[in-house]
Amino acid sequence: MSPLQLYSIFHLNLCYSSIEENQRPEVIRRCYWPLLRLAEIPGVPIGIEASGYTLETIAKLAPDWIRKLGELLTDNRCQFIGSGYAQLIGPLVPSEVNRWNLELGHRIYEKLLGFRPGIALVNEQAYSAGLVGLYQEAGYQATVMEWDNPGSGKAGWSPEARYLPQIAVGQHGEEMPLLWNNAIAFQKFQRCAHGELEPDEYIDYLAGQAGPATRAFSLYGNDAEIFDYRPGRFHTETALDGTVSEWERIASLYRSLQQDQRFSLILPEKSLELLGQPGAGHRLRLESVQQPIPVKKQAKYNITRWAVTGRDDLAINSACYRIHDVLRRRGETSPEPWKELCYLWSSDFRTHITEKRWQRYIERLRQMEEALGSASSLLPLKPAEATNRSGFRPAASSPFKLQEKGNLLRIDAERLTLVLNKRRGLAVDSLVFPALSEKPLLGTLAHGYFDDIAYGADFYTGHMVFLIPGQHQVTDLEAVKPELYATGSILTASATVTTRLGPIYKEVRLDSEKGSVEFHYHLDWPHLPLGALRLGHLTLRPESFDPSTLFCQTHNGGVQPETFLFSGEKVNHLAPASSLVSASQGLAASEGSIVIGDRQKRLCVTIDKCAAALTAHLFHTPVGPSFLCRLVFSASEIDDTSKPANRQPGALSAIRLALRAEAG
């Protein structure tokens, strides 16, 4: 039996959501200094990871700590792991922001430590295939990612793969050596340090990970701020004992492991030497259509956590997109505004941020928007625009032809035919792009379309649903009298739906020249209760698509789009992760576009991220000989970070989606 090689990475984050700024010196004293003392123990090598922002902040508050870290690095007592300037969620932001974040992090590492680290910890373990090329481009030689979620149920993956370094493969030829983190292991480590798990029991667990051949295993790969300190993020946090130092428990654990011949303590980089071992170096794709963005720990940690939950993720992410749009259009090359944007996109402002820090953050975000004039790009819809135009009828020269039959309003243009349901809030009954197919590509699948009673419902397109726990859902599927008006090549059908939360103003715009349809929503609500707000549903007509080549394509933080094949699999991104978490997966659509279709035809959707930074979600399931496939957009989900009182009305006033079709 070969000794089990154990490596550790302690994650340092002074931007930690629930830690006030005036508490940072205490965190350094109670958590960061003991960490360096741990590294001083002979034969106890550890990895230390910190963002550039955290290192900058420590350098201001405790410059001696930086000097001591440098000494330990020089003596090879520890290894520094990089991540970027800010702890932002890579899949959620445009590739240009990711590039700047990695580069700015390197500049600070060079300034304070004298080198650029070779291994990067994926922020919050939120991974996408598109990030591989960006880490590669930034000069990293390896990344650290959690095993538990990508490795869960992956066909063809050997369980042995978790014990050796592998190769993370992007979708465009990118490759990056990969070290595994392990959520179960680091959570057990935390319990042991907190006195909830006996050291002997934990060591027995570790011994169970050993095998006949050489294996490497992550002993720890998470926060340093939770030992001898409680950030106050959860009411379930273990109370501090006060009699026994948790860092001393950790040191005692490492000494026990050091003396146990079943184990060998190594630096993280040492495990890369095993890439040539049998079972190592497999080229793995960590993402899948069911799990396009793997994230750390249990299912409550999914991409919606930083996108459409929190105090008001939708509003602040939309504001960050507006800032990015201005910087991009300017061709900005100065690092300072990009540095500020990376900071504003930090993950911690999107989770358990304290009220005091939230107010400071909102003010800082507002100041940057004002300085750049980015807020002026947000143009809310105004119901008054349609006043007194309900009598519109197209002239003979108009590119549009109208036909009303019962509850259906048919609009013909040269490049598309759209049928709207007036009884269902202008939901799309059918949408035909004649150049591609005489059949509708999407629309409503009426009750009875499927023989299976499990799918015996109406599946609409272009509508909105707001799910509130314990209450009846709010929708726009009500009878309306649409107002029509035209400007040049654009015809707009608008309607207002009255709900118990306030009116919903909705527009469906057809552009005869572009051959596109746009859906605009304005929720004139005084506030947004906790709930799941899903809109812009697109329901494919199964008879119009080849299920064997059905795919979805979008960006998740990378330069190039990622492609996901359905391959007849069951997919449900909006399945609740628990009774407290309303969604389990999603797509970031970080460049504001997403495509769904088959090899011959595709529907191309554009999201106005500057108005509302929606996430995208897939549903697909075989139903008898047919299938049900939907693309849904979300403006709000629920999890443990959600706060009901902070939603800004502006984030709901200009939700815009555009749809067109093209040949494959």
Side-chain angles (χ1 to χ4, degrees):
M1 184 78 70
S2 298
L4 180 64
Q5 297 187 4
L6 297 172
Y7 56 89
S8 314
I9 299 174
F10 287 84
H11 165 59
L12 277 56
N13 177 23
L14 275 183
C15 204
Y16 202 114
S17 60
S18 55
I19 297 176
E20 299 286 5
E21 292 184 24
N22 62 4
Q23 295 173 320
R24 290 173 178 176
E26 184 182 5
V27 172
I28 295 171
R29 178 177 62 83
R30 299 183 66 170
C31 304
Y32 296 176
W33 276 112
L35 178 62
L36 296 189
R37 288 193 286 273
L38 180 67
E40 287 183 303
I41 300 174
V44 180
I46 59 172
I48 297 175
E49 179 272 330
S51 67
Y53 174 84
T54 290
L55 278 194
E56 267 190 333
T57 306
I58 297 174
K60 293 175 184 177
L61 298 174
D64 287 349
W65 191 94
I66 298 291
R67 283 193 288 270
K68 185 62 178 178
L69 173 62
E71 293 172 6
L72 292 169
L73 292 170
T74 300
D75 293 343
N76 211 34
R77 297 284 189 90
C78 64
Q79 178 188 355
F80 187 79
I81 310 295
S83 57
Y85 172 69
Q87 183 180 263
L88 52 72
I89 305 302
L92 274 181
V93 306
S95 59
E96 194 169 11
V97 176
N98 277 318
R99 276 178 166 152
W100 274 106
N101 193 51
L102 293 172
E103 173 59 25
L104 290 168
H106 273 322
R107 293 184 188 185
I108 292 170
Y109 300 148
E110 280 188 313
K111 177 182 176 181
L112 296 178
L113 302 177
F115 67 95
R116 294 188 171 207
I119 299 178
L121 181 74
V122 176
N123 287 334
E124 297 285 16
Q125 304 288 262
Y127 171 93
S128 71
L131 297 182
V132 177
L134 291 171
Y135 283 115
Q136 191 179 63
E137 182 185 293
Y140 283 105
Q141 287 86 53
T143 55
V144 182
M145 177 57 193
E146 187 208 61
W147 159 270
D148 301 78
N149 284 288
S152 177
K154 273 284 174 59
W157 283 32
S158 167
E160 291 295 309
R162 78 185 73 186
Y163 298 113
L164 291 167
Q166 307 297 340
I167 304 292
V169 178
Q171 297 188 2
H172 304 280
E174 313 92 338
E175 294 184 354
M176 177 69 66
L178 178 69
L179 301 184
W180 295 117
N181 193 4
N182 189 292
I184 299 298
F186 76 62
Q187 288 172 328
K188 282 183 174 291
F189 182 101
Q190 290 168 356
R191 292 181 182 186
C192 185
H194 291 165
E196 299 176 6
L197 182 67
E198 291 299 320
D200 288 347
E201 186 179 350
Y202 181 56
I203 290 173
D204 286 345
Y205 161 76
L206 292 174
Q209 309 304 315
T214 302
R215 288 178 172 181
F217 191 70
S218 174
L219 178 68
Y220 190 65
N222 204 39
D223 303 331
E225 298 84 5
I226 60 172
F227 304 122
D228 280 346
Y229 186 83
R230 294 294 183 268
R233 186 172 59 175
F234 303 116
H235 72 274
T236 54
E237 287 179 343
T238 306
L240 277 169
D241 184 297
T243 59
V244 180
S245 165
E246 291 170 352
W247 283 106
E248 184 51 45
R249 282 199 189 114
I250 291 170
S252 177
L253 173 63
Y254 274 98
R255 290 189 184 99
S256 297
L257 293 171
Q258 182 187 30
Q259 295 166 10
D260 194 323
Q261 294 185 355
R262 295 175 295 177
F263 307 107
S264 173
L265 300 177
I266 64 171
L267 292 172
E269 63 185 0
K270 192 74 175 175
S271 66
L272 289 173
E273 296 177 5
L274 301 178
L275 267 172
Q277 295 281 340
H282 292 295
R283 285 155 175 78
L284 304 177
R285 285 185 57 172
L286 278 62
E287 78 288 356
S288 66
V289 66
Q290 292 93 345
Q291 192 181 64
I293 303 175
V295 174
K296 67 180 182 181
K297 299 196 288 190
Q298 285 74 18
K300 73 175 183 178
Y301 291 90
N302 65 75
I303 199 65
T304 64
R305 184 176 185 82
W306 304 278
V308 287
T309 61
R311 287 181 179 264
D312 199 353
D313 289 353
L314 180 70
I316 63 177
N317 286 334
S318 304
C320 285
Y321 265 101
R322 293 193 292 273
I323 292 169
H324 166 262
D325 190 55
V326 172
L327 297 181
R328 179 184 53 79
R329 284 189 281 107
R330 282 186 181 181
E332 185 62 66
T333 58
S334 172
E336 289 308 313
W338 290 105
K339 187 177 181 181
E340 180 69 2
L341 178 56
C342 290
Y343 170 81
L344 293 171
W345 234 314
S346 297
S347 64
D348 291 283
F349 300 121
R350 289 151 176 81
T351 54
H352 295 281
I353 193 72
T354 65
E355 179 65 24
K356 183 178 179 180
R357 290 187 64 201
W358 172 256
Q359 293 303 328
R360 292 188 64 175
Y361 170 80
I362 289 298
E363 178 60 21
R364 191 162 169 174
L365 181 63
R366 183 191 63 79
Q367 287 176 356
M368 191 170 193
E369 281 223 87
E370 288 183 353
L372 295 175
S374 60
S376 63
S377 65
L378 180 62
L379 300 175
L381 296 173
K382 296 179 180 179
E385 290 177 358
T387 301
N388 299 324
R389 302 191 187 187
S390 58
F392 167 79
R393 289 293 180 271
S397 59
S398 172
F400 303 103
K401 294 181 180 178
L402 302 183
Q403 180 181 345
E404 295 191 55
K405 185 177 181 181
N407 291 313
L408 300 180
L409 170 63
R410 174 172 171 149
I411 306 172
D412 286 284
E414 181 180 354
R415 300 176 62 182
L416 72 166
T417 296
L418 174 68
V419 180
L420 300 174
N421 190 332
K422 296 182 293 181
R423 191 169 180 270
R424 289 290 182 260
L426 300 184
V428 175
D429 187 74
S430 65
L431 177 57
V432 176
F433 295 91
L436 293 178
S437 173
E438 295 181 356
K439 300 177 182 177
L441 297 189
L442 51 76
T444 297
L445 303 183
H447 176 252
Y449 182 91
F450 297 110
D451 288 337
D452 190 334
I453 190 60
Y455 300 96
D458 295 296
F459 296 99
Y460 297 102
T461 284
H463 64 297
M464 188 213 82
V465 177
F466 186 40
L467 304 171
I468 308 172
Q471 299 183 34
H472 291 294
Q473 66 184 19
V474 176
T475 79
D476 62 354
L477 294 170
E478 303 292 341
V480 297
K481 294 182 179 180
E483 298 179 320
L484 305 176
Y485 58 100
T487 304
S489 64
I490 298 175
L491 174 68
T492 300
S494 67
T496 300
V497 179
T498 301
T499 76
R500 68 177 187 272
L501 297 178
I504 301 170
Y505 176 66
K506 181 176 180 179
E507 289 186 353
V508 182
R509 298 183 183 180
L510 284 74
D511 190 317
S512 62
E513 289 185 1
K514 295 180 180 178
S516 65
V517 179
E518 294 184 14
F519 301 96
H520 293 202
Y521 303 85
H522 175 119
L523 279 62
D524 191 12
W525 297 355
H527 70 282
L528 181 66
L530 290 183
L533 177 58
R534 295 152 184 183
L535 38 75
H537 299 64
L538 303 180
T539 304
L540 302 192
R541 298 284 301 194
E543 64 272 17
S544 300
F545 291 92
D546 172 18
S548 67
T549 61
L550 200 63
F551 74 96
C552 180
Q553 185 179 76
T554 192
H555 296 80
N556 291 312
V559 177
Q560 300 187 68
E562 303 170 29
T563 301
F564 302 92
L565 301 176
F566 289 97
S567 302
E569 298 284 344
K570 289 186 176 182
V571 181
N572 188 1
H573 291 176
L574 291 174
S578 73
S579 60
L580 298 176
V581 181
S582 59
S584 51
Q585 283 296 324
L587 297 159
S590 55
E591 301 293 335
S593 62
I594 187 166
V595 173
I596 189 168
D598 61 19
R599 63 183 174 185
Q600 292 187 326
K601 64 191 81 69
R602 55 182 65 187
L603 297 165
C604 307
V605 184
T606 302
I607 310 164
D608 186 346
K609 289 273 194 170
C610 294
L614 310 175
T615 51
H617 305 265
L618 298 172
F619 179 92
H620 176 272
T621 186
V623 184
S626 186
F627 65 91
L628 174 61
C629 185
R630 309 182 88 190
L631 173 62
V632 183
F633 299 91
S634 177
S636 175
E637 296 296 328
I638 307 172
D639 66 10
D640 59 292
T641 72
S642 299
K643 303 290 182 184
N646 293 94
R647 308 299 175 117
Q648 299 180 39
L652 303 176
S653 65
I655 300 172
R656 302 184 179 106
L657 298 165
L659 170 68
R660 60 182 177 83
E662 64 182 25

